[in-house]
Amino acid sequence: MDRDEGPEASPGGAAEVGEPPVSDPKDPEEPRMQKPPGSPLVLPHTLQELLSKDIVQVQLIPEKKGLFLKHVEYEVSSKRFRCSVYRRYNDFVVFHEMLLQKFPYRMVPGLPPKRMLGADREFIETRRRALKRFINLVARHPPFSEDVLLKFFLSFSGSDVQNKLRELVQGVGDEFMTCQFAMQAKEYLPTDIQIQFAASRELIRNIYNSFYKLRDRTERIASRAVDNASDLLLFGKELSALGSDTTPLPSWAALNSSAWGNLKQALKGLSVEFAMLADKAVQQGKQEENDVVEKLNLFLDLLQSYKDLCERHENGVLHKHQRALHKYSMMKKQMMSATVQNKEPDSVEQLESRIVEQENAILTMEQRNYFSLYCLHQETQLIHIYLPLTSHILGAFVNSQIQGHKEMSTVWNELKPKLSCLFAGTSSVLMLPLSAQEENFLPS
């Protein structure tokens, strides 16, 4: 490739990750500086350390009427800062925007959608859960957890929260401008960073797809438990209704009048056990929704934020770097043309000045590109730190199944002896086991 033509565009329209500027060609065999001991690139955290950074609760408070529409407020309680504040959804939106503005090269979790017209309680509860996951991921993210934005959002109880959040970021600059390692980020990166980035992105995409399916299956399991509870409750109510039937006994059935009376009394009593079974099934469904589905959603939110970060890296800093290189290439061509055509010295000097400015812009873009890769490397580590959460999720699922089946089995076993009342006063022949030949005549 000619030195003045700029990089060849990839099929997606983005320059190759981490490509150096054309004004500073590098020998591919040039030895790179080794990562110094205690490199800031390496995250020292464990999953337990991240989870213990803070526990933030987000609870709905009663709706308040505005001038035209009702709005929902949340009580946000931080264990770390030992305080509770009230926040509206739009406060979360501004907080999210400021995080992206200050930390464009980090995994900023997404927010749930804004309230739609006619939103019901289910939508509001789903959004509350999503906001809780969002703020907990932010509160446990290493750079975010030490930033003034988070402390302000979780502890400031005054008015005009949104404007004050904007003021905290105004004039400060993003992380590239404030991080002490930004200008040396390239020296901490492995030589095969581009290969590692592509491989990590593919791996995490596959993990996301698998966990997405696991979450869907778990939601269906929890939903079936709730549906099962409803069926058990209705089953018990039907037995109770049958036992409470007051229809007069026909005279031709008077010979067995005691049998029907005893049967009704027994059926009526069984509804209590079926109500208990329904309650156990509901508890199991809710436990799996809270302990399993929500943890899967938390991990999916984290994985999605990584995917979003990769998109920002390619469509943001890399795209700007490519445009800067293209502009530089055009200026160099103009400079060569002006030199050949012997144009006025002033115009040549202006062009040279613009080229110098563009070279500085390219250098800045290159430094931002490497810092973006530096942050991506750390965010990839963060994903892998969270991976052991899988064992927590599976453990919660197994424990829920064991506990749920054990409790329901206890109720079923308590119910079984009561079935003998159903046969009180009936012929003992009916209690004998059916032969295999007789069973063939029964419907399957």
Side-chain angles (χ1 to χ4, degrees):
M1 180 177 65
D2 189 273
R3 184 173 179 268
D4 295 331
E5 291 181 355
E8 183 178 352
S10 66
E16 188 177 7
V17 177
E19 185 173 351
V22 293
S23 60
D24 186 21
K26 298 290 192 299
D27 184 350
E29 299 300 324
E30 179 182 353
R32 288 285 305 278
M33 180 184 295
Q34 296 295 319
K35 287 185 291 184
S39 170
L41 183 66
V42 179
L43 295 180
H45 308 284
T46 65
L47 176 61
Q48 189 57 42
E49 289 172 348
L50 292 179
L51 296 179
S52 63
K53 278 182 175 291
D54 200 357
I55 298 176
V56 185
Q57 300 295 337
V58 178
Q59 299 295 337
L60 283 169
I61 61 176
E63 291 184 341
K64 294 183 178 180
K65 291 185 178 180
L67 293 176
F68 302 102
L69 297 172
K70 292 182 178 180
H71 64 264
V72 178
E73 280 193 329
Y74 304 91
E75 182 180 8
V76 182
S77 305
S78 167
K79 182 178 180 180
R80 174 187 175 188
F81 296 109
R82 299 180 181 179
C83 62
S84 296
V85 294
Y86 296 108
R87 295 288 181 260
R88 295 181 60 182
Y89 175 78
N90 286 338
D91 297 332
F92 281 91
V93 171
V94 174
F95 178 56
H96 180 264
E97 291 173 354
M98 296 304 101
L99 283 174
L100 278 174
Q101 184 174 327
K102 194 170 185 179
F103 299 97
Y105 309 123
R106 299 290 182 179
M107 294 187 299
V108 179
L111 286 176
K114 189 175 179 65
R115 181 176 183 174
M116 298 176 293
L117 187 63
D120 54 15
R121 291 183 179 274
E122 183 179 357
F123 172 84
I124 294 174
E125 172 60 17
T126 300
R127 191 174 68 176
R128 182 198 67 80
R129 289 174 178 266
L131 290 174
K132 180 181 177 181
R133 296 195 302 269
F134 162 80
I135 194 62
N136 275 282
L137 284 174
V138 170
R140 296 163 183 172
H141 189 284
F144 301 163
S145 64
E146 304 304 322
D147 192 78
V148 65
L149 271 175
L150 177 70
K151 181 178 180 180
F152 179 87
F153 187 79
L154 292 178
S155 62
F156 179 73
S157 58
S159 59
D160 203 16
V161 174
Q162 297 175 26
N163 283 331
K164 285 183 169 59
L165 283 169
R166 294 186 179 98
E167 290 172 1
L168 287 174
V169 177
Q170 188 176 7
V172 175
D174 62 13
E175 189 183 10
F176 174 76
M177 303 295 293
T178 58
C179 179
Q180 60 178 320
F181 304 109
M183 298 303 175
Q184 293 80 36
K186 179 179 178 181
E187 303 304 329
Y188 294 108
L189 294 173
T191 55
D192 60 344
I193 183 62
Q194 298 180 31
I195 297 174
Q196 288 195 29
F197 169 66
S200 296
R201 188 177 187 182
E202 180 65 21
L203 172 63
I204 291 173
R205 182 188 295 115
N206 294 337
I207 292 174
Y208 176 88
N209 291 336
S210 294
F211 270 84
Y212 188 89
K213 295 175 183 177
L214 286 173
R215 192 276 313 274
D216 282 355
R217 295 296 179 270
T218 309
E219 279 185 334
R220 293 174 64 181
I221 292 172
S223 178
R224 281 199 298 269
V226 176
D227 291 341
N228 185 36
S230 178
D231 290 338
L232 286 168
L233 187 61
L234 290 175
F235 191 92
K237 287 183 177 180
E238 289 301 324
L239 290 178
S240 179
L242 187 61
S244 302
D245 184 83
T246 58
T247 304
L249 191 68
S251 58
W252 57 267
L255 294 176
N256 294 313
S257 59
S258 61
W260 176 235
N262 292 335
L263 184 62
K264 288 200 300 180
Q265 186 65 29
L267 291 174
K268 189 175 182 180
L270 294 179
S271 63
V272 176
E273 279 72 21
F274 279 95
M276 292 176 61
L277 288 168
D279 183 62
K280 299 297 183 184
V282 168
Q283 290 179 20
Q284 182 178 351
K286 289 183 177 179
Q287 182 177 351
E288 288 172 354
E289 185 176 352
N290 293 329
D291 295 345
V292 184
V293 175
E294 273 305 293
K295 288 178 181 176
L296 285 169
N297 279 327
L298 179 79
F299 193 48
L300 282 172
D301 289 348
L302 183 70
L303 294 173
Q304 182 62 53
S305 66
Y306 182 88
K307 293 171 63 180
D308 294 341
L309 176 61
C310 292
E311 291 293 329
R312 288 202 303 274
H313 173 74
E314 290 191 337
N315 299 331
V317 64
L318 280 181
H319 182 64
K320 291 179 181 178
H321 188 205
Q322 184 183 21
R323 288 173 57 188
L325 288 170
H326 177 72
K327 186 176 180 180
Y328 175 80
S329 175
M330 296 300 295
M331 287 181 177
K332 290 287 288 184
K333 289 180 180 180
Q334 291 177 14
M335 181 67 181
M336 293 175 62
S337 176
T339 303
V340 171
Q341 297 176 12
N342 294 320
K343 289 190 175 181
E344 294 293 329
D346 290 343
S347 62
V348 174
E349 288 180 4
Q350 291 177 1
L351 192 55
E352 288 178 342
S353 176
R354 289 172 57 197
I355 289 175
V356 171
E357 290 178 0
Q358 190 62 20
E359 286 176 344
N360 291 333
I362 290 173
L363 178 60
T364 300
M365 285 297 101
E366 183 192 32
Q367 290 172 335
R368 280 189 173 272
N369 176 46
Y370 281 116
F371 182 68
S372 178
L373 288 168
Y374 173 93
C375 294
L376 263 169
H377 195 295
Q378 289 191 327
E379 301 303 274
T380 304
Q381 294 176 59
L382 196 59
I383 291 290
H384 286 271
I385 292 173
Y386 266 96
L387 278 176
L389 189 65
T390 305
S391 62
H392 293 244
I393 296 171
L394 291 175
F397 179 66
V398 171
N399 289 336
S400 173
Q401 290 290 318
I402 292 174
Q403 181 180 348
H405 284 84
K406 183 178 180 180
E407 292 179 355
M408 293 190 72
S409 177
T410 300
V411 179
W412 283 117
N413 286 325
E414 292 174 353
L415 175 62
K416 187 176 180 180
K418 296 184 178 182
L419 296 179
S420 60
C421 299
L422 297 176
F423 304 99
T426 60
S427 173
S428 60
V429 176
L430 296 177
M431 299 298 294
L432 295 176
L434 296 175
S435 66
Q437 184 178 6
E438 290 172 324
E439 286 183 346
N440 290 334
F441 290 98
L442 294 177
S444 57

